[in-house]
Amino acid sequence: MNNSIVNASVSMHALQQKLDMLANNIANVNTTGYKRREMSFQDVLTAVKQQPEEFELPGRRTPMGITEAWGSRTSSVQINFEQGSLKNTEQPLDIALEGNAMIELFEVQRGPDGEPLLGEDGQPLLDRFFTRGGSLKLVQTEPGSENAYLATQDGHLIRNVNFEGELAPVIIPLNHRVVIDTNGNISVYNDQVDDELPTVMGTLPLHQVKRPELLDNAGNNLFRIADSAIDNAEVMEAIDLNDPRTAATRDIQVRQGFIEQSNVNMTEQMTELIAVQRAYQLNARALTSADRLSEMANSLRG
Amino acid sequence: MLRGLYTAASGLTANQRRHDTLTNNIANMNTPGFKQVTPVARSFPEMLIALTQGEDAKSIGRINTGVFIEESLPLFTQGDLIETANSGDLAIVSNIRVAEEVDGELVEIPFDESGKGVNQDGDIVYQPQAFFTLQNEAGEERYTRIGKFMVNGEGELVTLNGDRLIGRDEQPISFEGASIAGLPPEVEQPNVISLDQVRVGADGSMYDAGTGLPIVDAAGNPIALRIAQVDNPNRLIREGSGNYRLDNPEDNPPEQVPNLAQISIEQGFIERSNVDATQSMIDLMAAQRAYEANQRMVQYYDRSLEKAVNEIGRL
């Protein structure tokens, strides 16, 4: 009795967790750049109840002992990085990545007092995040300045290694037209002055995901490398699409004027929802049945 | 005491255990790679009953005094495949055929749906099953049918529990320092091989997705999965989390499947649980009713004893 009741309730709890995850996926079916979560089940640790030697009778097939199992549980949540479809918005600051790549972003680590934490070389410590793109915006460097930084919607500046070899934000002069080519090079055109050549202001810092299982979700469609990863270079590999060998072997393109939509497939999610619901129902029936057995045992006498 | 009281009580325990096993089957309906377990009941050994009649006890027959669940028998039928399109999901499709020599000719032993067959000598034999070979944290060999794999922080190919997968060279598979063999010089060799780039062939060997060239490990050996063939799958003990173990493996250590044409590894698919939900629900109801019947028997014996205690010999 107790085994059945514990078994069924553990399994229902696992199904509930899966249901929560499916609901989260469905809620994010229209979120730009959302990557769906996946979860599978495993059976819980099994105990082998010993049987005495005399129990062994001819015709027995399995080794001595009866296995007693305790239901099913969920295994870890995995993020599925399948490419989402691209939507044409024609906004010059919308970018989408096609292929296995992410843009690297940095955020200054701040102490509890809000001041930036400094490393050994006196430079601020930076947290690395990765994103699949989205709508970018221009943030003025200082009020009244003619230049702006290129940043994500939540304010992370796009930094890359500039011509002097330093990690610095990409500067865009205001009133210039921004063009980002398929290799991620950011150029600005001054349409007001004729014959002025476009200037390359920088390149999007692209990284290829090598070990997707070691990326954690950091909220706001950002990802970060899990603490359990030993070598960060193994998880995300920096790539330069301007190198012809890289561009030939890896199928990655930067698309300006597009945004990547959520990769949630409603049909799949609904099918799994139905399967989870039916499994929940069956487990509840097993629980009710076990409860009935308990009732019978309790009413054995009077 | 009335002998039948204990018989009925044994019936209660046996049906209880049957109910527990069936509940576990139902609970694992959606667990990939799970193999259904059937509880096998057996009656207690027979006793000879004799009339108590002085010196010449006359035998009047045999009686069993109860039932118990003898074993939980796994059913290794092939589960259906579901497509997930993840590179780390592998499924084994296994239909290993066994042939024996009869009069100089090779004759195949036919197996029934539960994997049982009879050979020419009249012995019962079981269909061998194929499993992925794992090494757990203690370094012991384990087997599983769950094909969900990922690469951990150290570059090793592991299950979702962290058990390492064993390759054909009997060593854990590691992508640390692995490379693609035979790449032309103008093509860039990747620094790190990711699972998306790996194609697993039907025999378990690994190739690069783009070029089809074999992937070799840091030592230069081609990476391939070891698929163990367990000749008698009934001897496997289930440990939970999808792992099976063999006690006394020295008797018949599982080897790499000799005829790789009889199994197939499908990448991007997962083998579903082989639990038949309808049958399990029906058996659950049957177990519950059998429990009820036994409960009634106990109640009747109780009433008979009550009569014996309270009413017989009342003055």
Side-chain angles (χ1 to χ4, degrees), chain A residues 1-11 45-47 49 66-71 286-287 290 293-294, chain B residues 16-25 27:
Chain A
M1 251 151 312
N2 200 35
N3 182 313
S4 287
I5 291 177
V6 170
N7 196 320
S9 67
V10 162
S11 311
L45 194 65
T46 310
K49 276 179 103 81
I66 279 247
T67 48
E68 198 178 53
W70 296 91
L287 186 63
L293 295 191
S294 301
Chain B
Q16 174 63 58
R17 189 152 276 160
R18 176 179 278 137
H19 191 277
D20 292 342
T21 312
L22 290 166
T23 305
N24 191 49
N25 282 349

Side-chain angles (χ1 to χ4, degrees), chain A residues 188-264:
Chain A
V188 292
Y189 289 69
N190 191 345
D191 293 324
Q192 289 152 357
V193 175
D194 289 336
D195 303 332
E196 186 169 316
L197 292 172
T199 330
V200 176
M201 305 306 294
T203 313
L204 287 173
L206 292 173
H207 287 250
Q208 193 173 40
V209 185
K210 288 294 185 179
R211 303 258 180 265
E213 305 94 11
L214 295 174
L215 278 182
D216 273 347
N217 181 28
N220 288 333
N221 283 344
L222 295 174
F223 299 96
R224 51 178 282 275
I225 298 177
D227 297 325
S228 59
I230 292 177
D231 185 359
N232 287 355
E234 285 226 343
V235 180
M236 302 294 286
E237 190 181 342
I239 52 175
D240 179 13
L241 287 176
N242 291 320
D243 179 349
R245 284 174 73 203
T246 312
T249 49
R250 305 182 211 219
D251 202 5
I252 299 167
Q253 300 196 337
V254 179
R255 295 236 175 264
Q256 182 183 22
F258 286 84
I259 50 173
E260 186 186 12
Q261 296 186 292
S262 157
N263 73 347
V264 171

Side-chain angles (χ1 to χ4, degrees), chain B residues 87-140:
Chain B
S87 331
D89 286 349
L90 303 174
I92 297 182
V93 179
S94 154
N95 186 10
I96 298 177
R97 294 183 281 280
V98 178
E100 53 175 352
E101 210 174 289
V102 176
D103 301 328
E105 269 185 24
L106 280 179
V107 174
E108 204 177 290
I109 303 177
F111 292 107
D112 68 3
E113 273 177 17
S114 69
K116 191 167 76 168
V118 182
N119 69 2
Q120 286 295 320
D121 299 329
D123 300 323
I124 297 180
V125 290
Y126 301 100
Q127 187 178 29
Q129 294 290 331
F131 294 87
F132 295 110
T133 317
L134 304 177
Q135 187 184 74
N136 66 3
E137 277 185 14
E140 298 161 337

Side-chain angles (χ1 to χ4, degrees), chain A:
Chain A
M1 251 151 312
N2 200 35
N3 182 313
S4 287
I5 291 177
V6 170
N7 196 320
S9 67
V10 162
S11 311
M12 287 201 288
H13 183 71
L15 287 164
Q16 180 67 52
Q17 288 178 324
K18 176 133 192 199
L19 198 64
D20 292 342
M21 188 205 71
L22 290 173
N24 187 39
N25 280 348
I26 292 174
N28 281 298
V29 71
N30 281 328
T31 307
T32 311
Y34 180 80
K35 295 296 170 196
R36 68 173 181 265
R37 314 278 188 265
E38 289 175 346
M39 188 195 266
S40 70
F41 294 106
Q42 278 189 338
D43 58 331
V44 179
L45 194 65
T46 310
V48 178
K49 276 179 103 81
Q50 292 305 318
Q51 284 172 326
E53 293 275 327
E54 305 84 55
F55 264 42
E56 180 149 23
L57 294 166
R60 191 200 168 100
R61 298 197 228 173
T62 56
M64 292 301 290
I66 279 247
T67 48
E68 198 178 53
W70 296 91
S72 68
R73 63 178 172 89
T74 53
S75 64
S76 55
V77 177
Q78 290 179 299
I79 305 177
N80 186 323
F81 286 99
E82 196 183 339
Q83 173 83 40
S85 50
L86 300 184
K87 186 166 106 173
N88 191 345
T89 61
E90 298 192 3
Q91 299 293 322
L93 290 180
D94 281 353
I95 48 171
L97 293 175
E98 209 175 320
N100 177 3
M102 289 205 181
I103 301 174
E104 189 182 19
L105 300 170
F106 292 98
E107 185 167 314
V108 175
Q109 284 185 22
R110 295 191 182 272
D113 55 353
E115 286 302 308
L117 296 172
L118 299 177
E120 289 165 348
D121 52 356
Q123 297 299 313
L125 287 175
L126 299 170
D127 270 332
R128 285 170 84 197
F129 292 101
F130 299 92
T131 182
R132 287 283 293 180
S135 300
L136 300 180
K137 65 183 184 187
L138 292 176
V139 175
Q140 266 187 318
T141 52
E142 282 124 18
S145 161
E146 278 191 357
N147 289 330
Y149 294 129
L150 193 59
T152 63
Q153 279 300 321
D154 39 319
H156 289 102
L157 303 181
I158 308 266
R159 292 169 216 253
N160 73 339
V161 179
N162 64 10
F163 305 109
E164 281 109 49
E166 295 169 343
L167 191 66
V170 177
I171 298 180
I172 308 283
L174 290 175
N175 303 322
H176 281 57
R177 182 163 52 100
V178 180
V179 171
I180 303 176
D181 69 359
T182 54
N183 287 343
N185 297 315
I186 308 168
S187 323
V188 292
Y189 289 69
N190 191 345
D191 293 324
Q192 289 152 357
V193 175
D194 289 336
D195 303 332
E196 186 169 316
L197 292 172
T199 330
V200 176
M201 305 306 294
T203 313
L204 287 173
L206 292 173
H207 287 250
Q208 193 173 40
V209 185
K210 288 294 185 179
R211 303 258 180 265
E213 305 94 11
L214 295 174
L215 278 182
D216 273 347
N217 181 28
N220 288 333
N221 283 344
L222 295 174
F223 299 96
R224 51 178 282 275
I225 298 177
D227 297 325
S228 59
I230 292 177
D231 185 359
N232 287 355
E234 285 226 343
V235 180
M236 302 294 286
E237 190 181 342
I239 52 175
D240 179 13
L241 287 176
N242 291 320
D243 179 349
R245 284 174 73 203
T246 312
T249 49
R250 305 182 211 219
D251 202 5
I252 299 167
Q253 300 196 337
V254 179
R255 295 236 175 264
Q256 182 183 22
F258 286 84
I259 50 173
E260 186 186 12
Q261 296 186 292
S262 157
N263 73 347
V264 171
N265 181 341
M266 277 302 277
T267 320
E268 234 177 66
Q269 300 297 306
M270 292 307 288
T271 313
E272 286 203 40
L273 196 75
I274 293 173
V276 165
Q277 187 188 338
R278 288 298 166 197
Y280 195 93
Q281 214 167 359
L282 287 175
N283 276 296
R285 288 281 277 149
L287 186 63
T288 312
S289 179
D291 184 42
R292 177 104 176 77
L293 295 191
S294 301
E295 194 186 325
M296 285 193 260
N298 280 335
S299 59
L300 210 48
R301 190 160 217 276

